[in-house]
Amino acid sequence: MNNTTTQQWWKETFVYQIYPRSFKDSNHDGIGDLKGITQSLDYLKKLGVEVIWLSPIFKSPNDDNGYDISDYQEIMDEFGTMADFDEMLAEMKKREIKLILDLVVNHSSDEHHWFQEAKKSKDNPYRDYYIWREGKDGQAPNNWVSMFGGSAWEYNPATEDYYLHLFTCKQPDLNWQNPALRKEIYQMMRFWLDKGVDGFRMDVIPFISKQEGLPDIQYTGQLLFDIVNQYANGPQVHEFLQEMHREVLAAYEVMSVGEGIGVYAKDAYEYVGEDRKELNLIYYFDHMFLDRDAKTDKPISLELPRLKQVIRDWDEALKGKGWNTFYLNNHDQPRSVSRFGEDTQYRYASATMLATLLFTLKATPFMYQGEELGMTNTTFTDIEDLNDVWMRNLWAKWQQEGKNNPKDFLAFANITSRDHARTPFQWDDSPQAGFTDSEKPWLLVNTNYPKINAQEAQADKNSIWHYYQKIISLRKGNHTLIYGDYTDLDPQHPQVFVYVRETKEEKITVILNFSPQEVIYELPAQITHLGEIFISNYPDSQGEAAHTVLKPYEAKVYCAAQS
Ligand code: NOJ
């Protein structure tokens, strides 16, 4: 019944992501920093955190908030020093918290000394660290566009040719075909692992190998899919990842997790198959596209059966061969409670229902700072308040196309912007939500902080925070919830998500109402015995008798011995 072969620490735990810029400012400059994280470790420990993934903390001119690295072995000035890092790591270890760093090696910053050298001349020793092509009739070498808009090529006057950048022009793509570059990356990875970090989250890792000959994209009108499908899963990606495993990861007991942009269930095994010796985990994007129209990028409502299908496909793809992850929120996505739940009347119910989904699937859960508070999207009223480089470039593009109405743009940004996830963490009800003593945080604090903050949430026994704490502790060490098989019992129901997790000994049934309406629900015939309530998000949930009327966003989890 239980198909997965090995037990591993990274299957049994969950990951808490910190976006350091927005977590806690310790030196009054309005920007979060490493000391701020160190000071917050007790808070995280109390929640039950065992693994932290930090978004990039390395030296960077911050064109894309650290995802543009100018020195991989130095700490970003705003975040502190290497001594601060060492102290933070030591304090984590004291509390038995593991640390995962962000490995951003599809591209570097244009301010990295490799690129500063490379752009000087065609015979510079660093030239082949990047990807250069001659222009075509005075234009870019091909029709590739950057993920953040505009051509993916930038002209370099000194060499009279173009370099490739799949993100901004300040993020030139590294040339993974060059063994000297790969060697430098592996050496840098060892530097951090030898310091004692516990693994890496690998930024846009499926993009590191480019299609042979860099052929033009055949645009179909679904821009994002067109470009992502062209850039991901290039011919040598698995060769490179296997080499990285051999050269670096195999020697350490660490977690590797790839950002799986452009990776679908059909590709999953190749990246994370347990016998493949590449990555341990990968996180997919399929469910992040379900509420966006692929042609217009406009928001559409989520159809629950499609979400179930994604989860089933991935479960099926890796059953007995590899391990899944699941997430609803990260620094690139709007807040999950605002997106998949309801962030006013049913904020508690929907946030806890989503937490129940996250922690009861057969997958390592990834949660994001503030999710435990039910932090919501904010409302941007001025385009100047947006920081996200993607949004800023998009606004420039809109204007070029004659779409000049800021109100229309703000309406779009207020649903889709990555800045929603990046507003400062809400610690308490003091000015700037206790995130900083400065009057000017780098990004505006959400105005709902007097009501939604960590202090308040910890004081209230019935808060979202306490629900997270409980479900985290329930999953910990629970063999059925971690390793039990997953079966979706009602794939087509439009409002209710029902599945079981089971081993030979035990069966856990999860029932989630994904809607703001009360639903009268007939349990599927396969359910003959639910057992005892394990966790639920309404106070009066009981055992068997109460099962058919589901309140708005109700979540009920039952546990029974197998008969
Ligand atoms: C994915 C990261 O998560 C995102 O924040 C970043 O902008 C791009 N990769 C480029 O590094």
Side-chain angles (χ1 to χ4, degrees):
M1 188 174 281
N2 187 343
N3 285 321
T4 300
T5 43
T6 61
Q7 298 193 1
Q8 303 283 354
W9 68 265
W10 39 265
K11 296 178 182 176
E12 300 180 6
T13 188
F14 72 101
V15 177
Y16 184 98
Q17 183 193 353
I18 291 180
Y19 196 66
R21 213 174 180 73
S22 303
F23 196 54
K24 178 81 181 143
D25 173 22
S26 75
N27 65 347
H28 332 290
D29 63 356
I31 299 175
D33 47 48
L34 300 189
K35 274 190 183 302
I37 296 170
T38 306
Q39 288 162 12
S40 311
L41 292 176
D42 288 334
Y43 163 82
L44 295 168
K45 185 75 191 169
K46 203 163 138 201
L47 182 64
V49 171
E50 297 170 329
V51 183
I52 292 173
W53 149 29
L54 290 186
S55 278
I57 55 169
F58 316 101
K59 204 167 215 58
S60 164
N62 283 304
D63 192 49
D64 185 16
N65 287 346
Y67 283 93
D68 48 321
I69 296 172
S70 53
D71 190 329
Y72 289 93
Q73 288 173 222
E74 290 289 341
I75 301 295
M76 190 192 297
D77 294 336
E78 292 95 321
F79 290 178
T81 62
M82 195 58 89
D84 296 338
F85 175 86
D86 292 340
E87 187 198 5
M88 178 187 74
L89 185 61
E91 291 297 321
M92 287 181 177
K93 292 209 181 293
K94 255 191 218 164
R95 292 167 179 78
E96 296 182 336
I97 294 177
K98 294 187 193 294
L99 176 62
I100 305 295
L101 293 180
D102 217 311
L103 186 76
V104 187
V105 289
N106 172 68
H107 46 268
S108 73
S109 162
D110 65 336
E111 296 183 31
H112 195 291
H113 87 93
W114 297 338
F115 190 77
Q116 290 296 311
E117 284 299 315
K119 71 178 191 183
K120 285 184 184 160
S121 68
K122 288 191 173 170
D123 54 10
N124 190 283
Y126 289 98
R127 161 99 175 168
D128 280 344
Y129 276 40
Y130 295 90
I131 299 168
W132 302 91
R133 291 291 183 279
E134 299 293 321
K136 255 193 199 154
D137 311 322
Q139 304 284 322
N142 69 18
N143 69 356
W144 290 16
V145 293
S146 142
M147 297 288 292
F148 292 144
S151 170
W153 296 95
E154 185 76 8
Y155 185 68
N156 181 44
T159 52
E160 299 181 330
D161 56 4
Y162 292 77
Y163 65 87
L164 180 68
H165 59 89
L166 297 184
F167 294 87
T168 77
C169 61
K170 287 185 65 60
Q171 295 168 295
D173 278 52
L174 289 162
N175 177 16
W176 272 74
Q177 286 187 312
N178 179 352
L181 177 264
R182 302 204 301 275
K183 210 169 148 198
E184 298 234 32
I185 290 174
Y186 302 154
Q187 216 167 305
M188 173 271 284
M189 290 172 74
R190 280 187 224 108
F191 168 82
W192 290 106
L193 292 171
D194 291 340
K195 268 184 174 289
V197 312
D198 301 283
F200 296 104
R201 172 265 185 190
M202 302 188 187
D203 191 66
V204 290
I205 204 71
F207 285 10
I208 59 175
S209 161
K210 317 300 179 208
Q211 295 299 338
E212 192 125 8
L214 310 183
D216 272 347
I217 296 173
Q218 305 300 317
Y219 288 106
T220 68
Q222 302 200 343
L223 183 65
L224 190 59
F225 285 104
D226 290 341
I227 62 181
V228 159
N229 293 341
Q230 184 89 348
Y231 302 159
N233 311 323
Q236 288 176 283
V237 69
H238 298 293
E239 177 188 324
F240 295 151
L241 288 176
Q242 282 170 14
E243 181 185 79
M244 179 196 279
H245 186 271
R246 234 179 12 251
E247 294 292 319
V248 185
L249 300 170
Y252 303 83
E253 277 206 17
V254 293
M255 172 200 273
S256 55
V257 50
E259 183 191 23
I261 181 87
V263 176
Y264 305 103
K266 65 177 174 45
D267 316 303
Y269 164 73
E270 289 187 85
Y271 282 92
V272 297
E274 288 193 357
D275 54 352
R276 295 272 305 167
K277 303 209 181 315
E278 294 191 21
L279 301 175
N280 300 139
L281 302 166
I282 195 145
Y283 68 86
Y284 53 84
F285 280 64
D286 306 40
H287 57 320
M288 294 293 132
F289 294 136
L290 296 179
D291 59 351
R292 300 276 181 274
D293 183 281
K295 285 213 162 90
T296 62
D297 209 25
K298 290 220 172 95
I300 52 174
S301 57
L302 172 80
E303 287 173 29
L304 185 58
R306 294 183 68 203
L307 174 65
K308 298 178 194 177
Q309 172 93 49
V310 166
I311 293 170
R312 275 200 317 280
D313 287 351
W314 277 84
D315 182 69
E316 205 46 52
L318 290 178
K319 204 174 245 170
K321 301 183 203 147
W323 193 250
N324 263 302
T325 62
F326 194 69
Y327 70 100
L328 291 162
N329 222 172
N330 62 35
H331 68 292
D332 287 332
Q333 303 294 338
R335 289 278 171 187
S336 55
V337 67
S338 304
R339 181 177 186 178
F340 302 117
E342 197 280 332
D343 62 9
T344 53
Q345 189 184 356
Y346 295 119
R347 193 175 65 89
Y348 173 83
S350 63
T352 50
M353 184 278 288
L354 293 169
T356 313
L357 174 70
L358 181 62
F359 279 87
T360 58
L361 288 174
K362 185 176 181 182
T364 298
F366 278 63
M367 67 177 287
Y368 180 70
Q369 64 182 47
E371 206 169 324
E372 74 277 22
L373 308 177
M375 274 180 66
T376 67
N377 281 354
T378 187
T379 306
F380 293 101
T381 56
D382 187 337
I383 292 177
E384 279 308 300
D385 293 337
L386 292 166
N387 168 277
D388 177 4
V389 64
W390 170 53
M391 277 291 129
R392 288 180 162 261
N393 287 358
L394 196 61
W395 174 230
K397 184 169 169 242
W398 276 40
Q399 288 172 298
Q400 275 162 19
E401 289 167 358
K403 295 192 272 177
N404 288 314
N405 189 340
K407 272 204 181 130
D408 292 345
F409 188 74
L410 282 168
F412 178 75
N414 274 323
I415 297 175
T416 55
S417 173
R418 305 190 297 178
D419 285 326
H420 289 297
R422 302 175 181 185
T423 62
F425 189 88
Q426 294 165 206
W427 288 101
D428 56 41
D429 62 1
S430 65
Q432 312 304 346
F435 160 69
T436 177
D437 290 344
S438 150
E439 275 166 27
K440 217 176 164 332
W442 75 276
L443 190 66
L444 290 180
V445 171
N446 191 319
T447 52
N448 62 20
Y449 74 86
K451 204 177 93 199
I452 302 175
N453 63 64
Q455 194 179 47
E456 167 81 24
Q458 288 173 95
D460 174 5
K461 284 278 166 256
N462 297 316
S463 68
I464 297 167
W465 193 92
H466 280 280
Y467 193 90
Y468 265 91
Q469 192 192 40
K470 183 167 177 195
I471 202 156
I472 287 167
S473 76
L474 285 177
R475 185 177 182 275
K476 191 175 156 77
N478 184 310
H479 189 80
T480 311
L481 269 189
I482 297 166
Y483 292 109
D485 282 348
Y486 170 84
T487 312
D488 180 350
L489 294 185
D490 195 352
Q492 295 313 323
H493 198 287
Q495 289 155 307
V496 181
F497 198 170
V498 187
Y499 49 91
V500 294
R501 302 290 317 283
E502 61 188 315
T503 57
K504 274 194 205 107
E505 297 78 34
E506 196 176 45
K507 181 184 261 191
I508 292 180
T509 308
V510 182
I511 305 178
L512 308 172
N513 179 1
F514 249 80
S515 80
Q517 282 92 36
E518 190 170 274
V519 177
I520 305 201
Y521 184 64
E522 287 301 321
L523 286 181
Q526 299 99 307
I527 301 182
T528 50
H529 174 50
L530 285 166
E532 295 296 316
I533 276 276
F534 190 61
I535 186 167
S536 65
N537 63 353
Y538 277 84
D540 52 351
S541 287
Q542 289 155 20
E544 311 270 336
H547 59 259
T548 49
V549 179
L550 295 171
K551 300 183 196 72
Y553 295 108
E554 184 157 15
K556 297 181 187 204
V557 183
Y558 297 87
C559 182
Q562 293 277 23
S563 40

